[in-house]
Amino acid sequence: MSSLPGTAAGRVTLVGAGPGDAELLTLKAVKALQSADVILFDDLVSDEVLELARREAKRMLVGKRAGRDSCRQEDINVMMLTLAKQGKHVVRLKSGDPMIFGRAGEEIASLEAEGIPVSVVPGITAGLALASRLGVSLTHRDHAQSVRFVTGHSRKGDLPEGLDWQGLADSRTTTVFYMARRMLPKIVEKLGAFGMSAATPTTVAINLGRGDEAIWRGPLAELVAAAETMDIDAPTLVAVGDALGVGMMVAAAEDEWRRAG
Amino acid sequence: MSSLPGTAAGRVTLVGAGPGDAELLTLKAVKALQSADVILFDDLVSDEVLELARREAKRMLVGKRAGRDSCRQEDINVMMLTLAKQGKHVVRLKSGDPMIFGRAGEEIASLEAEGIPVSVVPGITAGLALASRLGVSLTHRDHAQSVRFVTGHSRKGDLPEGLDWQGLADSRTTTVFYMARRMLPKIVEKLGAFGMSAATPTTVAINLGRGDEAIWRGPLAELVAAAETMDIDAPTLVAVGDALGVGMMVAAAEDEWRRAG
């Protein structure tokens, strides 16, 4: 693959930046950031994460965020290709884990089609960061046998089509909805229509792992109203299921999170 | 909470060790290992991860593994309590992420009941490590709108009860079965019975992220036979769904994994 002209030295590493807290990067992610020539990052990647990068690395914001102007995916693909063909080590830095809701599949396909070597460094995905933050075992053996990560909106910005609402309404599976903010009232309505109890434990978190983080825990019946009191433009994560009813108190968790390690 | 006698200085940090490769630990996990007095670790935690710990930290194997003798969960809980009450910083080191299939919920409840401060450091769960390893986007927008992590066996060692097989047989959800080895023939039979196509892309991986790692990719129809050629005692991960049909070639990924970063 790397025998194509001009590609010998260039390569791309997709790196998971985790939820925001720089200490939640993996050692391998830090190593990639410290050997990068160029870093293409999403606007959910925090400044403290970017500070871990090699001083000489060029940092370029290519973020996409619901409802805002941003680079098109095609433009990002072309940018990565062009830089890699110039022999650069390109780090594509994505919040959370690259392989969940990050369009990494399209980026990898585009790079491989041109013979650019690609590797991927996993990251702490937001759903797992939330679980640690709250002390909630997503698969507590008394409450859930599986955990599910679901996108909160479709390509068109509406509810995702073809979702198995019957399965999602089962409170014995823990479900984490990513990017769920704008569709939240519709999601809650669907869950109720498919029989999920209004008393099912839920959580909504914004700005997870950042200084302006806010977390609410309560029953499904109060979820929409609680979310409405939170910053509508902040990245939002919603989790539902019986397993959310267990775990540490938020206050205690907050306290301990700061002294963790 | 910390006003109980004897608990003032002691605390417990549950830490995710990731899939085996020490470079997949988070910075926060390394920090916890370097401030630990005692480390209670599962037998899936690799030696190279343990080497990152503070030299003076006492390392104690408390691992549980299917079909082998090991500490009972109750004994582990008592051990953590006793050490924390002696004022020690106890690190409970679990392979992968602590909040998925790790019985962390029971450990946290037992510690909180006695007023011991607990915090949790997330880790790279095996399903996400596999995705990065293969360059497979678990939620590739053309192939899957959700990803699901499911336990491969129940408390009794049989198939988990009450699983939503209809939903699991939908190849447009990516499903990762953890600890799926012994139940694999029954799992594949169930998926087929609920209508999953024999051509559905699948993967089986053993010893992920270790030197003796082995990965096979192919259709559901050949999954059981492929797994039978692999070490039956090795930790095994199985993934199914259309999204598994995309991604980097294993050979290319292997090559790049080594030079990642």
Side-chain angles (χ1 to χ4, degrees):
Chain A
M1 293 202 312
S2 53
S3 60
L4 293 182
T7 66
R11 63 189 172 111
V12 177
T13 311
L14 277 65
V15 174
D21 179 346
E23 288 201 340
L24 291 182
L25 258 75
T26 66
L27 300 176
K28 201 183 280 276
V30 174
K31 219 166 134 183
L33 287 173
Q34 291 183 348
S35 75
D37 296 310
V38 188
I39 299 167
L40 305 182
F41 65 98
D42 289 343
D43 61 0
L44 290 184
V45 171
S46 68
D47 291 342
E48 57 171 310
V49 167
L50 287 169
E51 275 163 24
L52 292 175
R54 185 168 158 253
R55 187 187 296 255
E56 299 77 15
K58 189 171 173 188
R59 291 148 171 85
M60 298 170 72
L61 173 64
V62 296
K64 294 186 291 280
R65 196 150 153 200
R68 299 205 188 154
D69 284 343
S70 59
C71 294
R72 289 183 317 139
Q73 186 62 51
E74 295 69 23
D75 296 337
I76 297 174
N77 293 353
V78 169
M79 217 181 297
M80 286 193 295
L81 275 173
T82 308
L83 291 162
K85 284 183 175 171
Q86 289 168 5
K88 306 236 188 292
H89 178 201
V90 181
V91 164
R92 176 74 178 98
L93 188 61
K94 291 165 174 288
S95 66
D97 180 82
M99 300 325 237
I100 291 197
F101 307 123
R103 300 191 64 175
E106 292 153 80
E107 296 180 357
I108 292 169
S110 138
L111 293 163
E112 291 223 312
E114 298 272 337
I116 307 291
V118 190
S119 55
V120 187
V121 178
I124 301 294
T125 188
L128 294 183
L130 178 64
S132 278
R133 181 68 183 75
L134 298 179
V136 164
S137 178
L138 297 174
T139 57
H140 194 296
R141 53 169 21 199
D142 294 334
H143 304 286
Q145 283 172 324
S146 82
V147 56
R148 197 162 180 175
F149 300 145
V150 183
T151 176
H153 62 75
S154 72
R155 291 189 192 204
K156 294 170 229 143
D158 203 345
L159 271 189
E161 286 159 37
L163 271 188
D164 163 31
W165 288 103
Q166 191 66 60
L168 292 173
D170 174 7
S171 66
R172 291 185 55 86
T173 286
T174 310
T175 302
V176 183
F177 292 93
Y178 283 62
M179 303 160 287
R181 191 52 174 276
R182 282 158 210 278
M183 289 297 116
L184 190 57
K186 287 192 185 178
I187 290 170
V188 170
E189 192 186 312
K190 278 275 195 187
L191 293 173
F194 279 85
M196 181 171 261
S197 159
T200 303
T202 71
T203 293
V204 53
I206 65 167
N207 297 318
L208 193 67
R210 295 157 197 259
D212 49 355
E213 173 186 272
I215 299 180
W216 175 89
R217 297 177 78 172
L220 184 64
E222 297 169 20
L223 177 59
V224 173
E228 274 168 6
T229 67
M230 295 168 150
D231 178 5
I232 184 91
D233 289 320
T236 304
L237 205 65
V238 170
V240 301
D242 294 340
L244 273 304
V246 197
M248 302 185 287
M249 296 300 297
V250 171
E254 250 160 16
D255 192 41
E256 292 317 310
W257 182 261
R258 297 212 168 91
R259 47 179 291 203
Chain B
M1 292 202 313
S2 53
S3 60
L4 293 182
T7 66
R11 60 189 174 111
V12 176
T13 310
L14 278 66
V15 174
D21 180 346
E23 288 201 341
L24 291 182
L25 257 75
T26 66
L27 300 177
K28 201 184 278 279
V30 174
K31 218 167 134 183
L33 287 173
Q34 291 182 349
S35 76
D37 296 309
V38 187
I39 298 167
L40 305 183
F41 65 98
D42 289 342
D43 61 359
L44 290 183
V45 171
S46 69
D47 291 342
E48 57 171 311
V49 167
L50 286 171
E51 276 164 24
L52 292 175
R54 183 168 159 252
R55 188 187 295 255
E56 298 77 15
K58 190 171 174 188
R59 292 147 170 85
M60 298 171 73
L61 173 64
V62 296
K64 293 185 291 281
R65 196 150 153 199
R68 299 203 187 156
D69 283 343
S70 59
C71 295
R72 289 183 316 140
Q73 185 62 51
E74 295 70 21
D75 296 337
I76 297 174
N77 293 353
V78 168
M79 216 181 298
M80 286 193 295
L81 275 174
T82 308
L83 291 162
K85 285 183 176 173
Q86 290 167 5
K88 307 236 188 290
H89 179 202
V90 181
V91 165
R92 176 74 180 97
L93 189 61
K94 292 164 172 289
S95 66
D97 180 81
M99 300 325 237
I100 292 196
F101 307 124
R103 300 191 65 177
E106 292 153 81
E107 296 181 356
I108 291 168
S110 138
L111 293 163
E112 291 223 311
E114 298 273 337
I116 306 291
V118 190
S119 55
V120 187
V121 178
I124 301 294
T125 188
L128 294 183
L130 179 65
S132 278
R133 181 70 184 74
L134 298 178
V136 164
S137 179
L138 297 174
T139 56
H140 193 297
R141 54 168 21 197
D142 294 334
H143 304 287
Q145 283 172 322
S146 82
V147 56
R148 198 161 179 176
F149 300 144
V150 183
T151 175
H153 61 76
S154 71
R155 293 187 189 203
K156 295 170 231 146
D158 202 347
L159 271 189
E161 286 159 37
L163 271 187
D164 162 32
W165 288 101
Q166 191 66 59
L168 292 172
D170 174 8
S171 66
R172 291 184 55 86
T173 286
T174 310
T175 302
V176 183
F177 292 93
Y178 283 62
M179 303 160 288
R181 191 51 174 277
R182 282 157 210 278
M183 289 297 115
L184 189 57
K186 286 191 185 178
I187 289 170
V188 170
E189 192 187 312
K190 279 275 195 186
L191 293 174
F194 279 86
M196 181 171 261
S197 159
T200 303
T202 70
T203 294
V204 54
I206 65 166
N207 298 318
L208 193 68
R210 294 157 198 262
D212 50 356
E213 173 187 272
I215 298 180
W216 174 88
R217 297 178 77 170
L220 184 65
E222 296 168 22
L223 176 60
V224 172
E228 274 168 5
T229 66
M230 294 168 152
D231 178 5
I232 184 90
D233 289 321
T236 304
L237 206 65
V238 170
V240 303
D242 295 340
L244 274 304
V246 197
M248 303 185 287
M249 297 299 298
V250 171
E254 251 159 16
D255 193 41
E256 292 316 311
W257 182 263
R258 294 207 173 95
R259 49 179 288 204

